[in-house]
Amino acid sequence: MSPEPLPPVAPEVLAEAVGQLTARLRKKLDAAVAECAGKALAGSGGSVEVRFGEDTLVILRPGPSGAVTEPGQAVCSCLLAPRCLHRAAILGAAPLADADTVPPADPAAPEPSEGTPPPVTAPLTASSVPVTTEEARPSPTPAQVDAAAGLWLAAAEALAAGVTAGGTVVQAELLRAAHSARLAGLPRAEAAALRVVRGLRTARERHRGQRLSDLTAAFRTLLAGAAALASGATGAEEVGSARRAYAEGGSLRVLGLCREPVLSATGYGGVTTHLLGPDGSLYTLSDVRPGGVSRAKGAGTASVALGGAVLDHAGLARGGLLIAGATVSADGRLGAGRGVRATPVRGADWSQEPVAAFFARPVREAVASSLDAAASAPGDAGPALLGCDVEVLGAADDHLLARVLDGGPLVRLRVAHPHPELAHAENLRRIGGFPGVVLRVLGRPDPDRAATLRPLAVGPVPGASSSLRLPEEWRGHADLGYDRLQGDHFPRPEAGAAPGTPGPAGTDPLADAPLWRVRRLLETGVAGGRRAVAEAARGADRTALGVPLRRAGLAGAAELAEGLAAEADRRPRDSFGRLVDASPEAYARAWLASAVHLDAAERALVTASWS
């Protein structure tokens, strides 16, 4: 029989199983989890079985949601069950289920069809420009403050342990605190904790797609949110909502901008169509389900499930909708409630209003707004879309160099989705073969790179002779994830004209600034824990940490980094002079202060690079 994948397990079920283990068994847990790989087999009635030796059998019986959500759904045949190592190891090896396994996001929406992804597992790439606001909520209650304080302490202990020591026991404590946050009505804090646990698991398993910078950002978000809630001084924006809140939008007319393939690391795929309202507000309509890249490719021409509209996503990206009874979330996602009715309307070319006004906005102003919105948005929301006109200078390494027209900055165009089965990379390579072509580009600024744009769609610049020549049915733009540019879509080179060269890329303020030293110190702490930070900044290295920062005028970053290094190396003693473990909370505060300062400094440098 071939191995069967383990079903997802609710965080609280795993936390309870680990909590029942003795100290001796906890020390053996990580090794037992590693031994579970590939042992699961399909059992009767949809169950999954894992055998340990000849006499011990663990059976998982998922509920209707496909996840193990109750302790009784995981049983072991050994004499120590349910307080046994076998049961806890299997639960620890299984993927984490989402906090909310009931997916309806719109209170008026019909029941979701089979395969509709939960809101956390399938990250939908969407605009972060708000169009409505959630119903006002009071400041955190005493119970919420207590839950946040517990989550802060668990997160601080996980940070002090780092990836190397952040095994199943540490993760279970964080999951226990996350569940308490959920019971107290703090869904945003719980979601942040689950992202950290998943990041720890991915890093420990050394997956190819793992990035230490992502886990560092997840820790920063979790600690900052928990600290704000534990102080009791924050408002409803940190409390969040258990389900995506949709507000009545009345009658709404939206015009298509482009389609974007959506892929998640958990096997979901689909499409997000970006839309523009008459006042310049951005909206999105998504269709994401299990299926990976094949689902993402096919969803580009799937029907739009909104109010009976007879359009597919390809038609919507180049058309529009008149929506009656529209429901809209705070981040611009359109709901598909029972009372929603949608009628297709004629779209607008990118050269026509109100779309043209979206591209006419000063690029630095648009970048600053996009990055600020992403920094304040919950979860994994990326920067909002921006549009600009550029002249392509040529290819350089793994990107294209282009200059924003009318005296704008030199920018780098990088692939938005690198998967080889999507059209992004091929289209960008073809564009690089036509230096001098001018394009109207719609994409997202990269928050981690100076003057870098990840284009989702391109179109001709109105009035420009050396621009794209697209088919009439494309309605003035090409979706880089789906449409494939050909040679006849580009202007013919003038006779005798020599190919241009991209020239120097210019200075990169983000790479040239010594802030990379702070970033490396923070990521070292995430990877190796408190001890790794102390070792990295000990002795002469501590001087080397602060001096370059002060020379660059970054005295604040230097002071915070040195404070982090000193706190990491602090070894308190008890009244008898014996060394004792330092509290992780002071270390977490020092790490968070440096991380928040670094994030703000890098965002300011990225914004400045667009000048």
Side-chain angles (χ1 to χ4, degrees), residues 145-434:
V145 171
D146 290 343
L151 186 58
W152 160 265
L153 180 58
E157 291 174 345
L159 177 67
V163 172
T164 54
T168 307
V169 174
V170 172
Q171 296 169 24
E173 291 302 316
L174 192 50
L175 292 176
R176 186 188 306 279
H179 184 58
S180 297
R182 181 188 188 189
L183 295 178
L186 299 175
R188 184 170 297 177
E190 182 202 19
L194 293 183
R195 281 193 294 273
V196 168
V197 173
R198 289 191 175 102
L200 287 172
R201 287 186 167 196
T202 302
R204 288 176 63 84
E205 294 167 4
R206 299 180 181 179
H207 285 179
R208 292 179 57 187
Q210 182 266 337
R211 293 202 319 165
L212 194 58
S213 59
D214 293 338
L215 182 54
T216 302
F219 262 113
R220 184 188 69 240
T221 302
L222 172 59
L223 288 167
L229 288 165
S231 70
T234 187
E237 68 279 357
E238 285 294 344
V239 173
S241 176
R243 295 181 181 176
R244 185 174 304 278
Y246 282 76
E248 295 294 333
S251 180
L252 180 65
R253 184 187 180 99
V254 292
L255 301 174
L257 287 177
C258 74
R259 295 169 292 167
E260 175 186 8
V262 177
L263 286 174
S264 79
T266 51
Y268 285 87
V271 63
T272 289
T273 297
H274 297 274
L275 307 161
L276 187 72
D279 60 350
S281 298
L282 291 170
Y283 301 85
T284 57
L285 188 62
S286 299
D287 179 7
V288 180
R289 302 186 184 194
V293 67
S294 60
R295 178 71 175 80
K297 293 168 62 178
T301 53
S303 298
V304 173
L306 182 69
V310 287
L311 272 180
D312 58 20
H313 281 271
L316 178 58
R318 294 181 167 93
L321 287 175
L322 179 61
I323 307 173
T327 57
V328 187
S329 73
D331 60 356
R333 302 190 194 187
L334 297 176
R338 294 187 179 89
V340 177
R341 295 292 180 268
T343 304
V345 297
R346 181 177 177 81
D349 189 275
W350 280 9
S351 61
Q352 300 172 339
E353 298 297 343
V355 183
F358 182 79
F359 290 91
R361 189 178 182 186
V363 66
R364 180 173 182 179
E365 176 186 327
V367 168
S369 175
S370 175
L371 296 180
D372 288 345
S376 60
D380 299 323
L385 299 184
L386 67 84
C388 60
D389 296 342
V390 303
E391 178 188 1
V392 176
L393 303 180
D397 298 328
D398 60 346
H399 60 273
L400 304 183
L401 287 178
R403 184 173 297 281
V404 178
L405 299 184
D406 299 328
L410 189 71
V411 299
R412 299 163 180 82
L413 303 181
R414 293 186 180 272
V415 175
H417 295 279
H419 198 287
E421 294 190 39
L422 298 178
H424 288 280
E426 179 185 343
N427 281 331
L428 213 60
R429 282 195 299 268
R430 188 170 291 276
I431 292 172
F434 292 86

Side-chain angles (χ1 to χ4, degrees), residues 4 23 55 89 186 237 258 308 435 486 531 601:
E4 183 81 5
D55 302 326
L186 299 175
E237 68 279 357
C258 74
Q486 305 297 329
R531 292 183 180 180

Side-chain angles (χ1 to χ4, degrees), residues 14-66:
L14 172 58
E16 181 185 26
V18 175
Q20 292 178 335
L21 297 180
T22 64
R24 181 178 63 86
L25 292 179
R26 288 189 178 197
K27 293 179 181 179
K28 300 179 180 181
L29 182 56
D30 286 334
V33 168
E35 293 177 1
C36 296
K39 287 188 174 182
L41 299 174
S44 60
S47 65
V48 176
E49 300 179 353
V50 181
R51 186 170 292 279
F52 288 84
E54 296 182 358
D55 302 326
T56 303
L57 180 66
V58 178
I59 301 177
L60 302 182
R61 295 186 177 89
S65 65

